[in-house]
Amino acid sequence: MTALIVDGVVPKHEQLRARLTELATRLPAGAPLPGERQLCVEHGVSRITVREAIGQLVSEGVLVRVRGKGTFVAERPARSRLHLASFHSDMRRLGLRPSTVVLAVARAVPPPMTGAALELAAGERAWHVRRLRLADDQPMSVDDGWYPVAVAPDLDEADLTGSLYTLFAERYGCAIERAEQTVRAAEADRECAVLLGVSPSRPVLVFDRVSYSAGRPVEHALSTYRGDRYEVAMTVELGQG
């Protein structure tokens, strides 16, 4: 039997919040939380306390409310180490099943910033590939990539539902060896929000990456990830000075 929450140094709603957090870690994503009345009885607190604790956990992304149905355990975000890897290998390492929907493939003149990153001549066209990436059949990211035609002349005829890094290495003899990448927080624009299944202006993570093979830039890509399904982990060491 659950011990009742009593007055103490830690406010009741914080005590309940800690208990509900522990409960959420033991339940699978999508599992329903007990109703407010049951929580009141089990923990000996008022409905106001229950609502305050649940409200905090909803705002933190631990729980999610569904109107007319109740409160449920939210999906836990996939946590990736900050490293160079294809989406497919990254998701498999996290125990998720990757898949891809190709949205568009066309030759076009890229934006000036992309042309400069790929060291293209003014007006030179490149392959523009847009793909929706899924993990366990749920939208994870939208990839918007540009690739020099000289590197992959028939890219539009290739299977783009798998890893492009593997494709470039095996089909074009162009192994991607390193990349320069920045990560920033942003708000989802309307198009990305629809594709990712989130509300417009929801937080997303945008990875801006230029990838190289034998010292030559072969990819400039923007990968927009759902902020509630993906997070990045890294090891930080104290530098000198």
Side-chain angles (χ1 to χ4, degrees):
M1 181 176 179
T2 303
L4 299 181
I5 290 175
V6 297
D7 289 320
V9 177
V10 180
K12 287 186 176 182
H13 73 272
E14 288 293 343
Q15 295 182 55
L16 181 59
R17 175 180 171 278
R19 291 186 180 187
L20 295 181
T21 299
E22 181 183 359
L23 175 62
T25 62
R26 291 189 276 106
L27 294 174
L33 210 66
E36 289 184 0
R37 183 175 181 179
Q38 182 178 343
L39 291 174
C40 290
V41 172
E42 287 182 354
H43 301 279
V45 295
S46 68
R47 185 157 292 188
I48 292 176
T49 298
V50 169
R51 289 176 178 172
E52 186 170 0
I54 290 177
Q56 289 181 2
L57 293 177
V58 169
S59 66
E60 294 169 8
V62 177
L63 302 175
V64 59
R65 283 195 182 103
V66 179
R67 182 182 290 275
K69 294 185 177 181
T71 304
F72 301 84
V73 177
E75 286 195 59
R76 297 171 181 86
R79 175 174 293 179
S80 174
R81 301 294 300 180
L82 194 58
H83 66 301
L84 179 61
S86 71
F87 176 86
H88 275 65
S89 62
D90 200 20
M91 292 300 106
R92 289 193 184 103
R93 186 180 58 81
L94 296 170
L96 301 173
R97 186 179 71 259
S99 57
T100 299
V101 177
V102 179
L103 302 173
V105 185
R107 283 203 293 186
V109 177
M113 183 176 68
T114 297
L118 294 178
E119 300 178 359
L120 302 177
E124 184 177 351
R125 294 194 297 171
W127 288 114
H128 186 200
V129 179
R130 283 178 55 80
R131 302 187 297 167
L132 175 63
R133 319 305 297 276
L134 304 102
D136 287 347
D137 297 324
Q138 296 299 314
M140 179 69 81
S141 74
V142 176
D143 284 5
D144 192 317
W146 291 86
Y147 307 89
V149 173
V151 173
D154 60 347
L155 188 62
D156 59 335
E157 299 176 6
D159 179 6
L160 303 180
T161 60
S163 165
L164 287 189
Y165 289 1
T166 299
L167 175 70
F168 270 58
E170 295 181 352
R171 181 168 178 141
Y172 302 110
C174 182
I176 293 177
E177 302 158 347
R178 70 179 183 90
E180 295 179 0
Q181 179 171 264
T182 61
V183 185
R184 69 177 186 272
E187 294 183 348
D189 60 32
R190 184 171 297 276
E191 183 180 5
C192 273
V194 171
L195 290 170
L196 293 175
V198 300
S199 302
S201 300
R202 287 280 293 179
V204 292
L205 289 174
V206 180
F207 293 74
D208 188 334
R209 180 177 62 258
V210 178
S211 303
Y212 297 83
S213 176
R216 176 185 180 182
V218 296
E219 175 191 51
H220 181 214
L222 291 179
S223 297
T224 303
Y225 281 79
R226 283 181 55 156
D228 62 338
R229 293 203 67 205
Y230 193 80
E231 58 186 37
V232 178
M234 66 193 76
T235 300
V236 181
E237 297 181 356
L238 182 65
Q240 300 297 317

